[in-house]
Amino acid sequence: MLTALQVEYEAVRRHLTDVEEIELPHGTRLEVGVVPGLDWQVALAETGPTNTRAALVAQSAIERFDAEAVFFVGVAGSLKDDVQLGDVVVASKIYGYQGGRESPNGFSARPALVETSHRVDQLVRSARRDEPWAHLVPAPDPAVRPGLHFEPIAAGDVLIGSRDSETFHRIRRHYNDAVAVDMESHGVAQAARMHGAVEMLAIRGISDFADPDKATADAKGSQRTASRHAAAFALRILRDLRPTGPARRERPGHPAVLLVSGPGREDTDTAGWEKRPVVAVGDQEYLLYEGPEDLLRETRDGDVVRRQAVARRTSDRGSRGSYVWLRQVERGRPLPEAEPDPLAALEREAGLCERHGGPGVVQVSRRGNTTTLALAWPADRTSGRPSETLYDLLPAAPVRTDPLRLLTIVQSLAAVAQFLGALHDEGLSHRALRPTAVIANRQRASLRDFGLATAAPRRGEHPGPYQAPEQRHGSVTRPGPATDVYQLGALLRHALTGRPPTPGMPPFRPPGAVPDSLARALSGALRQDPAARPDARGLRRHLLAATRELRSFPPQR
């Protein structure tokens, strides 16, 4: 998997687990990992712009890892009015549009052309016929479903910023069937072609229209959205791609990576949700959705496999929005009596949902060594698609949240704090808050589940940027209600700065546009000592006071 830009790299990287960094002899660094549920090892590199740089990185990576396939994933500019922002363009062929001859009679094109192999061509066409694929791609506006175009693209070392430029008109004249343009795909394709049997596919999300508004579109997050759409479809193709021969063996002293076939797996009713878009649980079937972060994930902890996804009940296809948060725990061996049963923990969570009035339990099923819990996920009343999470509202650094969106986030966190207060009254705590754990429904924010409430606290739980100090360090104070308060503060910090808190960073200094009550809520929630933090109801009072102040702020121009 090769990308040119950091935003493209991050869109692919978020799907990888068990990642290890490897340095090539000439200094190129790649991260090597796996996609849960797929039998491929994936090496990911950021090439930088231009066809030449992309070709050099691709060439050395293919040789170093003995690659079976190379995917070039990222963004491109649209050349056609019917190819919209967020759409995905898969290259049926790639033109190197700068080849030609200048003479007194003008420019004569001498195109350098690379076509997609018949095998990959058929994989793309099959995926395009698979209607549910568009539902698996998270769009910034749930009412908009990204289009998929299997068409030619053009690649050259020119960043096109005007449709009146000579380069744009040259592409229109000589490569009129090209629907998108980028700066690297042809170089990657040439490197792959030099290695014969290596499959190559360029998958580009549309982030601009190759016009002067490109900078404005980028500032609004178009590159991030387009990159994620392209990465999602790349994984859709990777799911169906099969090795052409036996698994490649490791070279002496080197790991076998970069899309190398792994050991075979049996397809069962519970194995590999990423490989099975429809999951059957008893007499109910669910269509899985892909989503950001952990909204489609499979993890393994020893003999215990946990799977989770946003899904739609297939029996309700005719209705607008009957969605669930689907979680499944599979245990590979009997457990000693003294060891907590993860299957029972999921069943106890169903009881918590009923006592607290939500989330609504749609199905709870135990079959052999597998327990499945489906909780209601609200639908957006306008689009009928699953409601977005806080993840969709949070900004990416260095952009700060605008006041109107910040008001929505603070209201959502206040609603969550009220729910957590009731949970804390029972002596329980969530301890696994993250942006995707908060459903930012327009009517009322809610939690997708109870997190780790039915599991005993332990050191190292909930790894990542929203982990509280007592979870990370295993201090004398065990994770508990104060942990939830810290994690709410971490989400608020992300909303205010574009990034979650980082250990060792100086305290947050609010700009003038941040209400004092919000700054106080943040500083109190993020105190290192759990005993010094307010309780959930105290934090909620600060957040409610901040919403009143935010409503009085003048709108930004």
Side-chain angles (χ1 to χ4, degrees), residues 113-387:
L113 174 66
V114 178
E115 293 191 77
T116 301
S117 73
H118 177 71
R119 177 185 176 215
V120 174
D121 173 289
Q122 292 300 299
L123 282 177
V124 175
R125 294 182 188 278
S126 174
R128 185 171 60 175
R129 290 192 297 268
D130 184 10
E131 177 61 23
W133 91 266
H135 296 290
L136 302 178
V137 179
D141 180 354
V144 178
R145 289 169 54 185
L148 176 64
H149 310 269
F150 187 38
E151 303 287 350
I153 68 172
D157 293 345
V158 179
L159 181 62
I160 301 175
S162 171
R163 292 198 168 195
D164 291 328
S165 67
E166 173 59 31
T167 301
F168 184 89
H169 290 304
R170 178 179 296 174
I171 295 173
R172 276 286 179 89
R173 283 196 303 270
H174 300 291
Y175 314 102
N176 189 254
D177 57 342
V179 304
V181 61
D182 71 13
M183 300 174 61
E184 305 87 12
S185 289
H186 191 262
V188 176
Q190 291 281 25
R193 189 165 66 174
M194 291 176 61
H195 292 268
V198 176
E199 299 287 7
M200 187 275 173
L201 190 62
I203 303 172
R204 319 303 288 168
I206 297 300
S207 63
D208 61 81
F209 292 103
D211 61 14
D213 291 334
K214 170 178 168 54
T216 302
D218 291 348
K220 291 181 178 179
S222 64
Q223 284 192 336
R224 174 175 157 179
T225 298
S227 297
R228 290 182 173 180
H229 291 185
F233 191 75
L235 294 182
R236 171 64 179 81
I237 295 297
L238 190 59
R239 189 189 74 188
D240 292 341
L241 185 66
R242 295 291 178 265
T244 56
R248 309 288 182 91
R249 293 192 174 274
E250 298 183 11
R251 296 181 178 183
H254 299 290
V257 288
L258 185 59
L259 305 183
V260 178
S261 174
R265 295 177 57 166
E266 296 295 327
D267 281 335
T268 67
D269 287 342
T270 60
W273 279 8
E274 289 83 354
K275 298 172 66 176
R276 302 175 63 84
V278 176
V279 171
V281 181
D283 58 356
Q284 181 60 258
E285 287 188 340
Y286 299 95
L287 172 67
L288 304 186
Y289 281 53
E290 287 189 359
E293 297 294 324
D294 64 337
L295 291 185
L296 177 59
R297 175 171 290 182
E298 178 176 312
T299 59
R300 181 180 294 273
D301 182 9
D303 290 325
V304 177
V305 178
R306 291 179 172 85
R307 307 179 182 93
Q308 58 191 37
V310 177
R312 181 171 190 162
R313 298 172 65 181
T314 58
S315 59
D316 300 328
R317 282 177 180 170
S319 65
R320 283 172 60 82
S322 182
Y323 303 104
V324 299
W325 175 234
L326 193 63
R327 296 161 67 202
Q328 189 175 82
V329 177
E330 182 182 0
R331 190 185 61 210
R333 61 177 174 83
L335 297 175
E337 293 185 4
E339 190 171 338
D341 185 359
L343 305 186
L346 206 57
E347 294 168 338
R348 289 197 301 271
E349 183 167 342
L352 276 179
C353 292
E354 294 173 354
R355 290 206 303 273
H356 287 268
V361 178
V362 176
Q363 183 182 13
V364 57
S365 169
R366 184 162 184 164
R367 179 184 174 188
N369 63 346
T370 301
T371 293
T372 306
L373 176 62
L375 302 178
W377 186 289
D380 185 276
R381 290 183 178 179
T382 303
S383 66
R385 287 175 58 89
S387 291

Side-chain angles (χ1 to χ4, degrees), residues 417 420-425 427-433 457 461-462 466-472 475-491 501 521-540:
L420 292 173
L423 186 64
H424 296 167
D425 289 342
L428 301 173
S429 53
H430 190 285
R431 310 194 316 277
L433 295 174
E461 67 181 16
H462 190 53
Y466 306 97
Q467 185 183 49
E470 59 270 22
Q471 293 177 302
R472 182 166 55 251
S475 62
V476 176
T477 304
R478 300 180 71 196
T483 303
D484 292 347
V485 173
Y486 180 91
Q487 291 175 357
L488 285 174
L491 293 173
L522 180 63
S523 62
L526 292 182
R527 287 174 180 154
Q528 295 295 299
D529 181 4
R533 300 170 199 154
D535 61 14
R537 290 189 173 91
L539 177 61
R540 177 175 179 267

